[in-house]
Amino acid sequence: MISIKAIPRGNPQDVTAPAKFYAHAIADGEVNLERLAYLVSNQCTVRESDCYAVLLALMHNVADELSQGRVVDLGALGRFQVGVRSEGKDLQEDVNTHTVKSAHLNFRPAKRLRDMLATLKYKLIDG
């Protein structure tokens, strides 16, 4: 179950407009690679240390492939791709590597994860 709470947000296009309240998902803890390795090891015959080593290698290789500009397709999990934010320019020829402000990761979940998102249950918390 996903916890949500109401968060006020102003309208950036009309700063005089009153804020509206929007549902905001609240995280309920965190799971790290060590915990994932432990969970995976309990679901198969592979030892926890082996699972952890594989997850670390996966993380290293995903980062390396992304830094080479490749889309990383993790099958039933989804796809990762690097995206960039840049300054807007009036002319196409003014866009260059110096106009890039920052990079971020785009994640496109595969069907199983998209289906999971469609069936989530929510609970409102005070806050």
Side-chain angles (χ1 to χ4, degrees):
M1 184 154 315
I2 306 298
S3 297
I4 60 169
K5 71 178 186 179
I7 301 289
R9 290 201 181 123
N11 182 344
Q13 295 176 341
D14 183 2
V15 293
T16 62
K20 291 187 178 183
F21 289 85
Y22 295 87
H24 183 79
I26 304 300
D28 185 22
E30 184 176 297
V31 178
N32 61 24
L33 281 178
E34 290 176 7
R35 174 73 176 155
L36 287 173
Y38 171 78
L39 293 170
V40 170
S41 72
N42 283 322
Q43 296 170 347
C44 62
T45 59
V46 180
R47 293 186 357 212
E48 181 180 346
S49 59
D50 295 328
C51 290
Y52 186 65
V54 168
L55 290 172
L56 284 177
L58 175 66
M59 183 179 66
H60 170 78
N61 286 292
V62 165
D64 186 52
E65 294 299 318
L66 288 169
S67 72
Q68 298 299 315
R70 295 183 183 93
V71 174
V72 176
D73 187 344
L74 295 178
L77 185 61
R79 298 164 62 98
F80 288 93
Q81 183 175 3
V82 172
V84 296
R85 290 181 181 85
S86 69
E87 299 172 26
K89 297 293 183 180
D90 292 328
L91 301 173
Q92 180 178 350
E93 52 268 14
D94 291 340
V95 175
N96 58 48
T97 59
H98 299 292
T99 60
V100 174
K101 290 182 178 180
S102 64
H104 58 274
L105 284 179
N106 293 322
F107 174 69
R108 292 184 300 279
K111 183 177 182 347
R112 184 173 177 183
L113 286 181
R114 286 193 317 270
D115 291 348
M116 176 273 305
L117 291 172
T119 61
L120 289 175
K121 305 266 187 269
Y122 304 96
K123 67 177 177 180
L124 182 63
I125 61 172
D126 295 328

